Amino acid sequence: TVAFNAAALAASTVLLIDYLRPAPLFCGEGGGCGALKHTDYAAWGGIPTPVFGVVGFLVLAVLTMLRGD
């Protein structure tokens, strides 16, 4: 469970970095990541969707550690 949380948090963080940078660092400009950034699904309420992933997986990681799994 901890390994899953770490991998998911890392993936969400990488996507967030690409969303916040003017030029992509990890995803190619002409690839699927770049295309998705220009759709209605790229942000909810003006907040980039990877923010929800980072926050959600941080919460899950903390809860997992508190539980002791």
Side-chain angles (χ1 to χ4, degrees):
T1 304
V2 173
F4 170 76
N5 283 338
L9 180 59
S12 294
T13 302
V14 165
L15 285 172
L16 181 59
I17 290 168
D18 263 6
Y19 266 66
L20 298 178
R21 291 176 48 90
L25 184 62
F26 299 101
C27 296
E29 186 65 41
C33 294
L36 185 63
K37 284 171 55 173
H38 301 290
T39 68
D40 292 338
Y41 299 107
W44 298 334
I47 302 170
T49 52
V51 169
F52 295 101
V54 169
V55 170
F57 288 117
L58 275 174
V59 168
L60 286 176
V62 168
L63 291 175
T64 300
M65 287 187 277
L66 288 175
R67 185 173 172 198
D69 286 343

